[in-house]
């Protein structure tokens, strides 16, 4: 192989690891998919796979990493003084030995062992005649155009690279500018001064590149777009899912001024994970539990903690602060069931079906039906809202007048229905009396009022699936309807569904309240971004989720998913290449693949990151809390 040709941008934009990296593009292989099943296995993120051959250097295998970006000149014409490159992401790196490659299993056994044994010493030399490094790379569907002084821009789309051309690795400075420059300029920060402290720096973590050289490349996201356009966190048990979630929520609250957060926490662990924020006097917050809390010991025992913190008495100091600030409440389910406008209309439709042979009854039903619709339109109400006292009084009067006008018989079902509407006023009064007695309990309406006032963080820790699903259905529907009516977008509200398989199960296998909840959250995902309602879903089994809901996510964090079907579903749903996705199997807890259509500095490019540890923030708080 000839020495790698000099490039005027080498020192500014690329790295060759101090002269060690000399590579050429050897092949560009089309990827043909025979059908849907084959597409899921192969991944649908790229139409081509590229093979890069690298001169062997003994240190290179420790420097090259999956996720690094390569640049190769392509056939498209660039302007004078500019150069145009196709960008590719490394998906696999492996060394090859010429002698071992020619080794046959049919050879004489002692000879096989002798060849293998002799090859060991070769790996510690720089012998290019017997060894080579191979790289598989996936085009990321961007071209890099570099002008003089390393002025760069990215152009969306795939350009066919020139086979045989030199291959370059983007250096750490270029990667930093590529992922962070646009966001850093928007929020006014300097990525070179990055720190792990959540109070001081809104970064989520660091990019997993150039770690052997101790180079730190932070990773930032646009929180406004992350929240408004929905995101997901997917990882198996022990992958650091809750840690990452609390890390993201903490930075959103600390570094944005117009985002509120509601956490639906069936595992009851976010009180600990967000302890420093909940205990902060400057952050209006509310914890809503399943039952009334009367003592600190009871509160301590109701919070799920990591194993190493289970007996840590310092947590009580933080919980005591929360109780002293009166941030603890409990959910009160309404005992008096008040009908909705939809139920009124359904009851009228039932009356219509049973009176098809009585035309004057049908006319009476139509008149009452129209009166209900007129009242709803006049007051901007939706069918799923509960009726109120003014409505009952008005509709009772109309029912009585209509019954008299159309001579409805007093022994008919329609007469009985129309003359008993005012009894609902008694139900409304009883409910008000109950709510006045339960001063510390919160209904759905009071939770919504908290969000419409100053409260920035609401943590709903309820372990009973049915109770929390009923709350989700009612609260999300109310929020969406009220925002539609007001044409309101800000402040943004992020609704977080941890253990998302409980809230948005696959519709085919769901029934009853599970199906109703799944449909409601799907509706929220479809329509919420127009009204500033964002959704975060986190789960360890993506295969159990409503795929219609999944397709609404614009940003996703993928950790270790051991089951092939889960990885295949992510590959198919989010158009991420299976070769890149397989790298997640090697992840340690806290390591993630991040990709976004809208919230990162460059769209839809998978980035391997290591998230900052949220427990460090908790530990720092606990040291000062005692």
């Amino acid at each position: 192989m000839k020495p790698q040709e000099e490039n005027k941008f080498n020192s500014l934009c690329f790295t060759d690891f101090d002269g060690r990296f000399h590579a050429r593009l050897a092949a560009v292989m089309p990827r043909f998919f025979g059908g849907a099943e084959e597409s899921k296995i192969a991944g649908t993120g790229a139409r081509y796979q590229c093979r890069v051959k690298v001169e062997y250097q003994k240190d290179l295998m420790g420097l090259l990493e999956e996720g690094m970006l390569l640049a190769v000149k392509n056939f498209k014409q660039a302007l004078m003084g500019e150069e145009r490159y196709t960008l590719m992401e490394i998906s696999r790196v492996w060394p090859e030995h010429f002698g071992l490659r020619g080794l046959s299993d049919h050879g004489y056994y002692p000879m096989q062992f002798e060849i293998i044994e002799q090859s060991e010493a070769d790996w510690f030399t720089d012998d290019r005649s017997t060894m080579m490094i191979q790289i598989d790379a996936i085009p990321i569907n961007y071209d890099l155009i570099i002008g003089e002084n390393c002025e760069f821009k990215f152009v969306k789309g795939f350009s066919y690279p020139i086979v045989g051309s030199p291959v370059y690795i983007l250096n750490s400075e270029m990667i930093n500018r590529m992922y962070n420059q646009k966001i850093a300029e928007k929020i006014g920060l300097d990525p070179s001064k990055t720190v792990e402290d959540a109070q001081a720096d809104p970064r989520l973590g660091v990019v997993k590149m150039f770690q052997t050289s101790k180079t730190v490349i932070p990773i930032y996201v646009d929180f406004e777009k992350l929240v408004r356009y929905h995101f997901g966190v997917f990882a198996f048990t022990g992958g650091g899912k809750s840690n990452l979630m609390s890390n993201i929520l903490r930075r959103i609250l600390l570094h944005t001024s117009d985002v509120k957060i509601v956490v639906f926490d069936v595992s009851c662990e976010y009180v600990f994970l967000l302890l420093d924020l909940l205990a902060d006097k400057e952050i209006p917050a509310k914890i809503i539990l399943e039952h009334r809390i009367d003592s600190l010991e009871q509160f301590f025992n109701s919070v799920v903690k990591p194993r190493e913190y289970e007996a840590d008495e310092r947590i009580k100091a933080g919980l005591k602060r929360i109780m002293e600030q009166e941030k603890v409440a409990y959910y009160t389910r309404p005992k008096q069931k008040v009908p909705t406008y939809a139920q009124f209309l359904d009851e009228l439709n039932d009356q219509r079906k049973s009176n098809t042979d009585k035309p004057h009854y049908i006319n009476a039903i139509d008149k009452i039906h129209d009166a209900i619709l007129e009242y709803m339109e006049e007051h901007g109400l939706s069918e799923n809202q509960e009726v109120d006292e003014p409505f009952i009084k008005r509709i009772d009067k109309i029912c009585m007048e209509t019954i008299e006008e159309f001579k409805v018989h007093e022994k008919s079902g329609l007469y009985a229905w129309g003359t008993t509407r005012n009894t609902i006023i008694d139900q409304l009064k009883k409910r008000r009396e109950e709510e006045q007695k339960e001063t510390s309990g919160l209904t759905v309406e009071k939770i919504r009022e908290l969000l419409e006032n100053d409260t920035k963080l609401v943590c709903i820790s309820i372990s009973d699936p049915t109770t929390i699903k009923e709350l989700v259905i009612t609260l999300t529907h109310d929020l969406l309807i009220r925002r539609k009516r007001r044409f309101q977008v800000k402040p943004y509200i992020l609704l977080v569904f941890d253990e998302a398989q409980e809230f948005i199960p696959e519709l085919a296998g769901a029934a009853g309240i599970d199906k109703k909840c799944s449909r409601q959250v799907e509706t929220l995902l479809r329509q919420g971004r127009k009204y500033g309602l964002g959704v975060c879903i986190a789960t360890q089994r993506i295969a159990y989720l409503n795929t219609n809901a999944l397709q609404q996510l614009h940003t996703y964090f993928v950790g270790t998913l051991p089951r092939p079907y889960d990885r295949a579903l992510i590959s198919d749903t989010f158009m991420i290449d299976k070769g890149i996705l397989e790298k997640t199997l090697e992840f340690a807890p806290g390591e993630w693949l991040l990709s976004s259509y809208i919230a990162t500095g460059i769209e839809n490019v998978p980035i391997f990151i290591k998230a900052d540890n949220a427990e460090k923030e908790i530990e720092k708080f606990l040291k000062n809390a005692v």
Side-chain angles (χ1 to χ4, degrees):
M1 184 183 286
K2 293 179 182 178
Q4 189 128 343
E5 65 187 45
E6 278 299 312
N7 186 299
K8 64 182 178 181
F9 301 119
N10 267 353
S11 59
L12 292 172
C13 306
F14 306 130
T15 179
D16 60 3
F17 296 116
D18 298 323
R20 297 185 183 95
F21 184 81
H22 301 285
R24 297 267 174 175
L25 179 63
V28 179
M29 297 161 281
R31 306 176 74 175
F32 300 102
F33 305 125
E37 290 303 312
E38 187 179 346
S39 173
K40 284 187 179 182
I41 294 168
T44 55
R47 293 183 296 131
Y48 297 91
Q49 179 173 318
C50 300
R51 178 66 52 83
V52 176
K53 296 187 181 289
V54 188
E55 290 182 357
Y56 183 79
Q57 295 269 345
K58 64 179 183 295
D59 297 332
L60 265 181
M61 282 304 297
L63 297 170
L64 294 172
E65 302 173 64
E66 286 93 343
M68 284 183 168
L69 295 184
L70 306 178
V72 187
K73 286 184 181 178
N74 60 46
F75 286 100
K76 284 199 175 174
Q77 295 294 318
L79 298 175
M80 185 69 68
E82 294 181 339
E83 290 190 357
R84 187 166 182 142
Y85 299 84
T86 297
L87 292 180
M88 301 177 287
E89 186 164 2
I90 296 178
S91 62
R92 191 161 65 111
V93 182
W94 74 101
E96 276 193 0
H97 190 289
F98 183 78
L100 292 176
R101 190 171 184 180
L103 191 63
S104 170
D105 286 342
H106 303 292
Y108 184 46
Y109 290 163
M111 187 177 296
Q112 288 188 45
F113 276 105
E114 186 174 348
I115 293 171
I116 293 169
E117 186 178 349
Q118 288 179 0
S119 70
E120 182 190 10
D122 294 340
W123 297 117
F124 298 98
T125 70
D126 291 334
D127 187 356
R128 303 174 191 173
S129 61
T130 56
M131 290 169 294
M132 177 185 286
I133 294 173
Q134 302 264 32
I135 292 176
D136 274 347
I138 308 296
I140 63 171
N141 299 323
Y142 273 94
D143 277 4
L144 169 65
I145 301 175
I146 307 178
E148 294 180 359
N149 303 318
C150 208
E151 295 167 357
F152 69 92
K153 61 182 176 181
F154 298 99
V155 179
K156 186 86 171 168
F158 173 76
S159 299
Y160 201 93
I162 301 172
V163 177
S165 291
V167 178
Y168 305 98
I169 297 178
L170 269 63
N171 63 24
S172 57
E173 184 183 346
M174 191 69 173
I175 294 292
N176 197 345
R177 292 167 68 190
M178 176 178 172
Y179 289 146
N180 295 318
Q181 181 170 293
K182 189 162 66 173
I183 296 170
E185 288 174 356
K186 180 177 178 180
I187 59 181
L189 60 83
D190 184 357
S192 65
K193 296 177 181 177
T194 184
V195 291
E196 194 173 351
D197 187 339
Q199 294 273 356
D201 196 338
R203 77 177 199 186
L204 295 186
V206 296
V207 178
K208 273 179 56 63
M209 280 188 214
F210 305 104
Q211 293 180 314
T212 51
S213 61
K214 308 296 182 185
T215 302
V216 176
I217 307 172
I219 183 69
Y220 297 95
V221 297
D222 186 324
F223 288 132
E224 181 181 321
K225 292 178 179 176
L226 181 75
V227 168
R228 189 170 178 182
Y229 294 92
H230 317 313
F231 66 99
V233 178
F234 312 114
F236 198 60
T237 304
K241 177 165 51 70
S242 299
N243 192 300
L244 174 69
M245 291 279 293
S246 62
N247 188 27
I248 294 171
L249 300 183
R250 179 175 284 103
R251 281 164 167 79
I252 288 173
L253 281 173
L254 292 174
H255 297 282
T256 61
S257 58
D258 58 355
V259 177
K260 299 185 176 189
I261 295 174
V262 183
V263 183
F264 296 100
D265 178 21
V266 290
S267 53
C268 302
E269 59 186 354
Y270 280 85
V271 174
F272 171 81
L273 292 168
L274 299 173
L275 188 62
D276 54 324
L277 300 179
L278 291 165
D280 190 339
K281 291 180 180 179
E282 301 299 318
I283 298 177
K286 188 69 79 174
I287 298 168
I288 302 170
L289 302 173
E290 208 161 346
H291 306 290
R292 185 201 300 270
I293 293 292
D294 296 316
S295 68
L296 180 60
E297 194 67 31
Q298 192 182 356
F299 192 17
F300 179 77
N301 292 333
S302 70
V303 175
V304 175
K305 301 165 279 290
R307 193 182 302 111
E308 59 271 26
Y309 286 98
E310 282 178 351
D312 196 327
E313 293 291 317
R314 297 177 301 169
I315 295 171
K316 290 184 178 179
L319 298 179
K320 186 179 179 183
R321 285 192 195 179
I322 294 171
M323 293 184 75
E324 288 171 349
Q325 295 173 41
E326 299 182 347
K327 290 181 176 178
V328 183
Y330 64 95
Y331 175 55
T332 302
R333 297 172 71 175
K335 297 181 182 67
Q336 293 294 327
K337 193 70 176 174
V338 175
T340 62
Y341 295 97
Q343 285 173 266
F344 260 69
L345 295 171
D346 289 342
E347 288 168 6
L348 272 176
N349 287 332
D350 291 339
Q351 291 292 336
R352 186 192 304 275
K353 290 173 187 174
S354 60
N355 290 292
T356 52
D357 57 337
K358 300 180 180 71
H360 60 301
Y361 280 23
I362 297 295
N363 293 336
I365 291 166
D366 287 343
K367 184 174 180 179
I368 299 169
H369 188 276
D370 290 346
I372 294 172
L373 293 178
E374 282 173 15
Y375 184 90
M376 290 170 59
E377 188 176 340
E378 185 182 323
H379 292 84
L381 301 168
S382 71
E383 290 188 1
N384 286 323
Q385 287 180 270
E386 292 180 348
V387 298
D388 56 14
E389 195 168 328
F391 168 76
I392 295 300
K393 288 179 177 177
R394 178 165 164 182
I395 213 68
D396 178 59
K397 183 182 177 184
I398 290 170
C399 284
M400 299 302 287
E401 291 172 353
T402 305
I403 284 169
E404 189 175 339
E405 180 185 348
F406 290 93
K407 310 298 182 190
V408 176
H409 197 276
E410 61 183 14
K411 290 186 178 179
S412 68
L414 179 59
Y415 183 92
W417 183 87
T419 55
T420 56
R421 293 307 85 199
N422 59 0
T423 58
I424 297 171
I425 293 176
D426 295 332
Q427 292 174 252
L428 290 166
K429 287 178 180 177
K430 285 179 183 178
R431 175 182 280 193
R432 280 199 298 270
E433 288 169 6
E434 286 174 7
E435 289 176 358
Q436 286 168 2
K437 289 177 187 175
E438 301 285 357
T439 52
S440 59
L442 295 181
T443 60
V444 172
E445 188 174 346
K446 287 183 178 177
I447 295 170
R448 177 180 50 74
E449 287 172 1
L450 285 174
L451 292 168
E452 289 179 349
N453 296 327
D454 297 331
T455 306
K456 291 201 71 175
L457 173 60
V458 176
C459 185
I460 302 172
S461 293
I462 297 175
S463 58
D464 179 58
T466 304
T467 303
I468 199 166
K469 285 171 192 172
E470 286 176 353
L471 195 156
V472 165
I473 293 166
T474 311
L475 180 61
T476 56
H477 181 268
D478 283 1
L479 287 171
L480 188 58
I481 288 296
R482 289 175 74 86
R483 292 226 160 182
K484 281 183 177 179
R485 195 186 310 147
R486 298 175 181 181
F487 301 100
Q488 183 182 355
V489 175
K490 289 187 176 181
Y492 299 123
I493 297 178
L494 174 65
L495 298 122
V496 180
F497 298 94
D498 197 9
E499 304 299 338
Q501 69 276 3
E502 294 286 341
F503 302 101
I504 47 171
E506 190 177 8
L507 289 174
I513 193 167
D514 292 340
K515 192 167 190 175
K516 191 175 180 182
C517 188
S518 186
R519 287 194 182 281
Q520 177 57 38
V521 178
E522 180 188 332
T523 301
L524 181 67
L525 280 156
R526 288 183 185 280
Q527 301 177 12
R529 61 176 171 266
K530 291 182 284 187
Y531 305 101
L533 298 175
V535 174
C536 166
I537 63 175
T539 185
Q540 55 184 298
R541 279 311 309 271
I542 189 173
Y544 292 156
L545 298 188
N546 179 341
T547 50
N548 293 331
L550 279 180
Q551 287 166 354
Q552 305 302 316
L553 304 180
H554 281 61
T555 305
Y556 46 93
F557 299 81
V558 183
T560 301
L561 292 170
R563 295 181 177 88
Y565 182 79
D566 287 340
R567 297 195 302 278
L569 186 61
I570 284 181
S571 176
D572 190 51
T573 305
F574 300 122
M575 299 296 287
I576 179 169
D577 194 270
K578 191 71 180 292
I580 301 278
L581 201 57
E582 291 296 321
K583 174 67 177 174
T584 62
L585 292 172
E586 305 167 23
F587 281 176
E591 296 180 347
W592 300 88
L593 185 152
L594 161 63
S595 189
S596 176
Y597 293 102
I598 198 162
T600 50
I602 184 165
E603 297 172 11
N604 204 26
V605 175
I607 311 165
F608 296 121
I609 69 169
K610 182 169 180 59
D612 291 335
N613 189 353
E615 285 185 14
K616 288 185 178 179
E617 298 295 327
I618 298 297
E619 185 60 37
K620 184 171 66 176
F621 168 76
L622 293 176
K623 284 179 180 176
N624 298 324
V626 179

